[in-house]
Amino acid sequence: MSADKRVSVNTQMAEGFAVRADIRGHQVVIDQPEAARGQNQGPTPLEYFLFSLGGCICTIGRIAAMQQKIELRGMKVSVEGDYNPAGLLGKPSDDRTGFQQIQVSAEIDADMTDEEKQVFLDAVCGRCPLHDNIKLETRVTHHLVEPSCIA
């Protein structure tokens, strides 16, 4: 028996390079910095991507700590990714378009040894769906649909 759960987000182009979405009542905007011809109304898609990974690790950390009865006073996760922008700009490149590497650094505030914190972080990252999607190949498909008849 499958217990799959679907997460769905609909986005729409807005003015300039802005992209907007209403996600469960939360108004979200993606934009480019002014130096990249945007209006700096929000983070870029790449920044949101890294934020999502860090946010997922923090969320799973909270869940795991509650399950293990660990008093997790706080957790800070820094995520950095390196990529070659040539591909997204349509320029030839031997590099892949996405991040070449992503580094996750975590600071855990709990009464645990450094070894216990590392084991906890390893377990949390192993349970994080975004960490899994980035670490392992995930099939991504794309297709066209007919324009909406709603004006």
Side-chain angles (χ1 to χ4, degrees):
M1 175 188 258
S2 178
D4 292 347
K5 183 176 179 180
R6 175 160 287 179
V7 176
S8 181
V9 175
N10 297 307
T11 62
Q12 183 171 335
M13 282 180 154
E15 65 286 342
F17 282 97
V19 177
R20 298 192 182 280
D22 181 320
I23 305 171
R24 294 184 301 104
H26 301 281
Q27 303 303 311
V28 181
V29 64
I30 287 173
D31 201 358
Q32 296 297 314
E34 290 176 4
R37 299 176 56 195
Q39 296 176 5
N40 203 31
Q41 296 180 44
T44 68
L46 298 178
E47 291 165 336
Y48 266 122
F49 183 85
L50 297 179
F51 168 62
S52 295
L53 175 58
C56 191
I57 291 169
C58 285
T59 300
I60 300 299
R62 181 70 72 198
I63 293 168
M66 290 183 341
Q67 290 172 335
Q68 298 172 33
K69 310 251 188 293
I70 295 170
E71 184 188 342
L72 182 61
R73 291 181 293 273
M75 190 168 173
K76 294 179 184 176
V77 176
S78 297
V79 185
E80 296 180 314
D82 301 319
Y83 78 105
N84 181 341
L88 70 86
L89 295 172
K91 297 178 181 176
S93 174
D94 291 334
D95 293 327
R96 56 185 283 199
T97 305
F99 288 114
Q100 308 300 310
Q101 61 178 336
I102 295 174
Q103 306 88 30
V104 175
S105 303
E107 180 182 323
I108 298 171
D109 184 6
D111 294 328
M112 303 164 73
T113 66
D114 286 346
E115 293 78 20
E116 291 169 332
K117 289 177 182 180
Q118 185 63 56
V119 168
F120 179 78
L121 179 61
D122 291 344
V124 165
C125 287
R127 290 173 56 174
C128 173
L130 290 173
H131 193 284
D132 176 84
N133 281 122
I134 296 166
K135 183 177 172 185
L136 303 173
E137 182 177 343
T138 300
R139 182 171 50 95
V140 177
T141 62
H142 57 271
H143 62 278
L144 290 174
V145 296
E146 291 297 319
S148 174
C149 295
I150 302 172

